[in-house]
Each structure stands twice: as structure tokens, then as C-alpha cells.
Amino acid sequence: MKRFSKFIFFTVLGWQIQGSFPKDLKKYVVIAAPHTSWLDFPIAILTRLCTGVMIHFIGKASLFKGPFGFVFRALGGTPVNRDKNNDMVSAIIAMFNDREEFKLGLSPEGTRQKVKEWKTGFYYIAKGANVPIVMATLDFENKKVKLSLPYYTTDNKESDFKFFRDYFVNVKGKKPELS
């Protein structure tokens, strides 16, 4: 599967990966941005398959129903009910604490629409689970996924978010107007 994924990703689609996921860390949060199109998901899955690193994800519960729900589960997904007011951050921190190895990919925007402010859940998950954050660009303009070194959050949320936002400056999503 890895060889086939590399053929599709690199040869057919013409994408490249700059950097790598940390090999010495068993747990971390991956934030992938900008999230502007449904095509971000297959690019992220292909990146994961090419690197051989299992990155889990969460998705709206409706994706996990019907005839294709098993596919999302098989790809490492967990459904979440976004209609209910539940403590998702604490539940995900518990996932990190209950497992010896766990890597979770999230979109900091929380939607494919243009947003002025990122959601903060990924930040509080990383802080609460005491794991670093790895940033991954979804740069459709240059057909590049760029992976950062692990970043451990500090006690200065504003400074941390500036660091995150700066990493994604000038990265254009599939729909640049939403980046």
C-alpha cells in the first residue's frame, strides 16, 4: 500500500513532502492547514500512507454512517457528535493518556470555511496531554506538504498561536480565497 500511495502522491499527483513526522515520539497532535476543501482529506491520508505514520482523526458523526462509515473507521477515524455540548478536549486528552502511542490530526480552523480565528481545542489537547504539536501545510499552490519539528506549547498562548500562524503564512489551500 505504501508503494502504491507514493506512486499516486508523488508521480500521478506531483506532490512532495518536506520534512518528516517525528520518529522518536509516540504521541503528538498534528495540525494541518489551511483546510479549504474536501480534497484536503485525501491529501492528508496519502501523506500519512507515504510516510507510514498512523495519524488518527476525528470527524463529524454523519461521515461514519451509511455505506462508507466503515471506510472512515478503517482509516483511523473516530466520530464525534458536534451537535451536543460535550467536553471534547477532555475526552481526547483521555485518549492520549490511555494509549501508549497516539497521534491525532486536526484542522485548527475546524471548518472548510474562511475563519478569522482558529479553534483552540488542538492547543488545549496538546497542553493537557503534555504532547507537542507538529504542523503540516496543505499547500495546493506548490503541491507541498511541509512538516514542522515538534513544538511544545508554552505558558504564553498568544505567542504560541503567533508561532503557529507564522508557519502557515502564504500557504494557499485548494480554494485560496478561503485560506
Side-chain angles (χ1 to χ4, degrees):
M1 185 61 128
K2 190 173 182 179
R3 182 180 278 165
F4 179 69
S5 299
K6 285 182 171 186
F7 173 75
I8 296 296
F9 191 74
F10 298 120
T11 307
V12 174
L13 298 177
W15 278 69
Q16 56 185 306
I17 299 173
Q18 181 181 338
S20 60
F21 288 113
K23 306 235 183 302
D24 58 332
L25 295 176
K26 292 186 175 193
K27 298 180 182 183
Y28 49 87
V29 172
V30 177
I31 57 170
H35 183 32
T36 66
S37 167
W38 67 271
L39 290 170
D40 300 339
F41 181 74
I43 293 299
I45 293 297
L46 281 168
T47 300
R48 186 185 82 181
L49 290 169
C50 289
T51 62
V53 176
M54 175 55 123
I55 308 289
H56 296 271
F57 63 93
I58 57 173
K60 58 185 175 182
S62 62
L63 292 174
F64 294 83
K65 294 180 181 170
F68 298 108
F70 76 95
V71 173
F72 288 106
R73 286 186 207 286
L75 289 172
T78 300
V80 294
N81 187 347
R82 299 188 312 184
D83 296 335
K84 292 185 179 177
N85 185 14
N86 46 20
D87 189 359
M88 189 69 59
V89 170
S90 294
I92 295 173
I93 291 170
M95 286 182 195
F96 273 99
N97 292 336
D98 292 344
R99 299 174 187 190
E100 188 175 318
E101 187 169 326
F102 189 62
K103 299 154 187 110
L104 179 67
L106 297 168
S107 160
E109 299 102 332
T111 180
R112 291 184 306 248
Q113 303 305 313
K114 187 160 183 74
V115 297
K116 291 182 184 197
E117 299 282 328
W118 281 357
K119 302 281 186 180
T120 58
F122 76 91
Y123 181 78
Y124 290 111
I125 290 166
K127 263 186 120 32
N130 195 30
V131 299
I133 295 170
V134 174
M135 295 167 282
T137 63
L138 298 171
D139 187 348
F140 278 78
E141 181 177 56
N142 297 302
K143 291 189 173 185
K144 183 189 300 182
V145 173
K146 184 174 128 187
L147 302 169
S148 76
L149 294 172
Y151 179 84
Y152 287 88
T153 58
T154 69
D155 290 328
N156 187 334
K157 181 179 161 189
E158 287 178 24
S159 175
D160 288 343
F161 268 77
K162 180 180 180 338
F163 181 82
F164 301 141
R165 296 293 290 209
D166 286 350
Y167 190 81
F168 295 97
V169 167
N170 298 322
V171 176
K172 302 278 192 272
K174 176 68 175 161
K175 297 180 179 176
E177 68 276 9
L178 301 178
S179 296

